[in-house]
Amino acid sequence: TMTDDNGEEYVGILGSGNLRPGMLYDIDLSVRTIADFANEDEADGSESKPYEIATAEQFYSLMLRCNLNKSNAHHRGYNNCHYKLVDDIELNNEMPWMPISYFSDGSLDGQNYRICGDIYLDNQFRTGLFRYIRNTVIKNLVLDLNVTFSRPNNHNEWFGLLTAEADDDSQIINCVN
């Protein structure tokens, strides 16, 4: 969290556009390591060997890996991989959620598991779990999230619980809010 000298509070990753020149900030910084996926040693992110996500830490790691443009050992960007949930995921406000900004040519199979809990979004443009999906399949996912916005009226036309925007080649199949 960051608090500027006017008392406005921001939550997010440094460099996400919240910092303004000439302002003084008090910053509480917590560093999280990127957690291994449940099957990190066997998976390569392909359709036949998708990464398995079993915990909130692993789901947050998906967000961090995609947003930091990390690549896996097979030289595939994590935002171009295939994933499946293997358990219910409970998100919480202990780790601020930054939407996965760009997810392309991959998939997320929820296998009818739930992503639930509380997430806090700070005045973000095009927001949801994913900001934008392209040529992506998201299926069999149950969402039960409580979302809190710092400024709820700024960009509400760009909010989707699952994604703010999807291209014509993406498919959302059997997903429930």
Side-chain angles (χ1 to χ4, degrees), residues 115-126:
I115 298 176
C116 61
D118 301 314
I119 58 174
Y120 179 87
L121 297 170
D122 181 54
N123 190 32
Q124 298 176 29
F125 180 70
R126 292 185 185 165

Side-chain angles (χ1 to χ4, degrees), residues 63-78:
M63 177 261 295
L64 290 172
R65 290 179 196 211
C66 288
N67 288 346
L68 295 172
N69 293 320
K70 294 285 185 186
S71 295
N72 66 17
H74 306 279
H75 307 291
R76 177 185 291 131
Y78 282 102

Side-chain angles (χ1 to χ4, degrees), residues 12-162:
I13 297 173
L14 291 176
S16 67
N18 293 334
L19 298 177
R20 294 179 294 202
M23 300 293 289
L24 299 174
Y25 293 90
D26 290 325
I27 298 176
D28 296 324
L29 181 63
S30 64
V31 178
R32 304 275 180 191
T33 59
I34 293 178
D36 286 343
F37 294 115
N39 63 338
E40 188 88 24
D41 294 334
E42 302 89 35
D44 63 7
S46 66
E47 282 187 79
S48 61
K49 295 181 183 178
Y51 289 113
E52 295 179 354
I53 299 172
T55 67
E57 289 78 15
Q58 291 168 349
F59 197 76
Y60 280 105
S61 290
L62 166 64
M63 177 261 295
L64 290 172
R65 290 179 196 211
C66 288
N67 288 346
L68 295 172
N69 293 320
K70 294 285 185 186
S71 295
N72 66 17
H74 306 279
H75 307 291
R76 177 185 291 131
Y78 282 102
N79 55 359
N80 303 103
C81 289
H82 300 272
Y83 301 89
K84 67 179 178 181
L85 298 186
V86 294
D87 204 349
D88 289 334
I89 305 294
E90 184 164 350
L91 303 178
N92 58 54
N93 281 328
E94 290 176 21
M95 295 181 266
W97 182 256
M98 297 294 292
I100 296 169
S101 59
Y102 182 75
F103 194 75
S104 172
D105 302 306
S107 68
L108 174 63
D109 183 353
Q111 299 196 114
N112 296 313
Y113 287 108
R114 294 175 356 136
I115 298 176
C116 61
D118 301 314
I119 58 174
Y120 179 87
L121 297 170
D122 181 54
N123 190 32
Q124 298 176 29
F125 180 70
R126 292 185 185 165
T127 194
L129 284 181
F130 297 90
R131 183 167 283 149
Y132 177 71
I133 60 174
R134 182 182 141 309
N135 195 32
T136 295
V137 175
I138 300 176
K139 63 183 180 179
N140 305 319
L141 183 62
V142 178
L143 297 176
D144 184 10
L145 294 168
N146 297 311
V147 180
T148 302
F149 291 95
S150 64
R151 291 176 238 165
N153 295 321
N154 282 1
H155 300 296
N156 58 0
E157 72 276 12
W158 286 96
F159 173 76
L161 194 55
L162 180 59

